[in-house]
């Protein structure tokens, strides 16, 4: 079994566009290749959107060289990008957008949700691309709640615990996400006292983000509390997790890319000249055509 390497925590709140509160749970700027191929995870909310006729969110902006994975827990977003991809991301849905050579996109609360208002909670994970794939065509995957397999785990009290398989495999179920390198991404709900063994390979970067609850990996380890990230050792296979309280968490595991990271703003490449080229392409209009207005 993999053991706990360390717990990482960041409690600074900020805004991204109109989204508030936002917390960066981890970033490669702090942890480097320790978390490769994962780059960053932002937790948006939990928050309340007051009813409004304005379309709040993040306006049009570019990306190149990586992927964004948006997991909708509460609320409703509308996404549009310059590949022609887009649509409504409702509760339980996942959007997997591969920026690759370049994409312009915007993410706004949907018109219906804006008028109605209500609770929202969103997680956005950034996943790095191998150097060989950074300039390939962009791709958009809309993963509806219904398309994501859910494995039910019953305990002795006949309570239902769930594992949603977004990417990779668990209990003979395969997630619908198509990835450039093998990735396991699971959305898990465990009742207090329930344990689960999750798949991770020798050498993998394996991370657990606890949205709410309390988890433990072995009696000798520190406990993982709300809004913290567990980084597991790269040695060993599989991870055993026990919920000390009812817990909701994300499990991420993948082989590191072992490539240099050079990032600036919206771009994640391998070298600084590639970053400069991205800005030059954007200024010259060679990057990609902007998204059409509403």
């Amino acid at each position: 079994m993999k053991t706990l390497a360390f717990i990482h925590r960041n409690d600074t709140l900020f805004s991204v566009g109109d989204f508030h509160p936002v917390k960066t749970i981890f970033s490669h700027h702090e942890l480097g290749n320790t978390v490769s191929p994962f780059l960053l995870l932002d937790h948006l909310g939990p928050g309340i959107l007051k009813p409004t006729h304005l379309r709040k969110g993040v306006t049009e902006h570019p990306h190149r060289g990586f992927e964004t994975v948006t997991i909708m827990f509460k609320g409703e977003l509308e996404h549009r990008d310059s590949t022609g991809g887009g649509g409504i991301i409702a509760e339980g849905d996942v959007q997997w957008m591969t920026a690759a050579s370049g994409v312009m996109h915007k993410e706004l609360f949907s018109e219906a949700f804006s008028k109605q208002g209500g609770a929202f909670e969103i997680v956005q994970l950034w996943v790095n691309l191998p150097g060989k794939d950074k300039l390939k065509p962009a791709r958009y995957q809309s993963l509806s709640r219904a398309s994501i397999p859910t494995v039910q785990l019953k305990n002795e009290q006949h309570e239902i615990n769930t594992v949603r398989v977004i990417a990779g495999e668990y209990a003979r179920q395969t997630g619908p996400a198509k990835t450039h390198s093998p990735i396991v991404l699971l959305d898990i709900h465990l009742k207090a006292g329930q344990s689960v063994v999750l798949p991770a390979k020798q050498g993998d970067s394996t991370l657990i983000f606890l949205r709410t609850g309390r988890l433990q990996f072995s009696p000798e380890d520190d406990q993982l509390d709300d809004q913290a990230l567990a980084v597991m050792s790269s040695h060993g296979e599989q991870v055993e997790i026990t919920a000390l309280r009812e817990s909701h968490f994300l499990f991420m595991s993948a082989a590191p890319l072992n490539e240099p990271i050079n990032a600036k703003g919206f771009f994640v490449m391998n070298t600084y000249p590639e970053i400069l080229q991205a800005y030059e392409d954007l200024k010259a209009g060679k990057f990609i055509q902007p998204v059409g207005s509403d």
Side-chain angles (χ1 to χ4, degrees):
M1 290 287 175
K2 289 183 179 291
T3 57
L4 177 66
F6 62 91
I7 290 173
H8 179 73
R9 189 174 190 95
N10 179 14
D11 291 321
T12 302
L13 297 176
F14 60 99
S15 298
V16 175
D18 297 318
F19 294 123
H20 181 84
V22 180
K23 184 185 296 184
T24 295
I25 303 303
F26 75 87
S27 167
H28 67 92
H29 292 294
E30 301 169 288
L31 301 181
N33 271 317
T34 302
V35 292
S36 175
F38 308 112
L39 291 166
L40 172 149
L41 189 146
D42 279 345
H43 188 208
L44 289 67
I48 301 292
L49 176 69
K50 294 180 180 180
T52 176
H53 291 288
L54 301 176
R55 297 298 304 281
K56 292 188 173 184
V58 179
T59 55
E60 187 176 287
H61 58 283
H63 287 306
R64 175 179 279 185
F66 65 101
E67 303 180 291
T68 64
V69 182
T70 305
I71 305 172
M72 206 71 193
F73 293 105
K74 291 181 182 178
E76 193 171 84
L77 284 181
E78 182 177 354
H79 166 268
R80 290 190 183 182
D81 68 46
S82 47
T83 71
I88 300 297
I89 313 167
E91 184 174 325
D93 294 346
V94 175
Q95 170 200 276
W96 200 297
M97 188 193 75
T98 305
S101 61
V103 71
M104 299 285 289
H105 80 147
K106 55 185 176 181
E107 299 156 300
L108 306 172
F109 287 116
S110 71
E111 184 176 1
F113 183 71
S114 297
K115 290 179 179 178
Q116 172 186 321
F120 67 89
E121 183 182 4
I122 309 161
V123 164
Q124 187 169 91
L125 172 69
W126 288 17
V127 180
N128 203 3
L129 287 170
K132 64 182 180 60
D133 294 332
K134 285 184 178 292
L135 294 180
K136 286 187 174 180
R139 180 174 68 187
Y140 178 83
Q141 299 177 73
S142 178
L143 312 177
S144 69
R145 180 175 187 166
S147 73
I148 299 171
T150 299
V151 178
Q152 294 190 346
L153 308 172
K154 291 184 180 180
N155 58 21
E156 294 178 356
Q157 289 74 40
H158 302 289
E159 297 173 313
I160 300 298
N161 303 269
T162 59
V163 179
R164 293 205 312 150
V165 188
I166 299 169
E169 295 184 3
Y170 174 75
R172 299 181 181 178
Q173 296 292 324
T174 301
K178 299 175 182 177
T179 62
H180 283 257
S181 56
I183 293 173
V184 176
L185 177 58
L186 308 175
D187 173 24
I188 302 171
H189 173 210
L190 291 186
K191 300 287 188 178
Q194 179 72 27
S195 295
V196 65
V197 176
L198 301 172
K201 297 179 180 179
Q202 173 77 19
D204 274 5
S205 299
T206 302
L207 314 175
I208 297 97
F209 166 53
L210 180 58
R211 289 169 52 219
T212 61
R214 179 174 293 161
L215 300 176
Q216 191 157 36
F217 306 98
S218 77
E220 297 79 24
D221 286 333
D222 292 334
Q223 295 174 5
L224 186 68
D225 290 314
D226 291 358
Q227 298 294 294
L229 179 82
V231 179
M232 308 304 291
S233 169
S234 61
H235 300 293
E237 297 184 348
Q238 300 183 318
V239 177
E240 184 172 9
I241 300 174
T242 300
L244 302 181
R245 294 203 313 252
E246 184 172 4
S247 298
H248 297 263
F249 59 98
L250 290 176
F251 177 87
M252 301 155 269
S253 192
L257 297 181
N258 295 320
E259 295 181 359
I261 298 172
N262 207 299
K264 181 70 174 177
F266 303 111
F267 309 131
V268 182
M269 305 301 287
N270 293 123
T271 67
Y272 185 60
E274 289 173 328
I275 295 290
L276 294 179
Q277 187 63 53
Y279 279 106
E280 288 301 318
D281 290 349
L282 188 62
K283 287 191 294 183
K286 298 177 182 178
F287 190 75
I288 203 156
Q289 293 302 309
V291 183
S293 59
D294 290 331

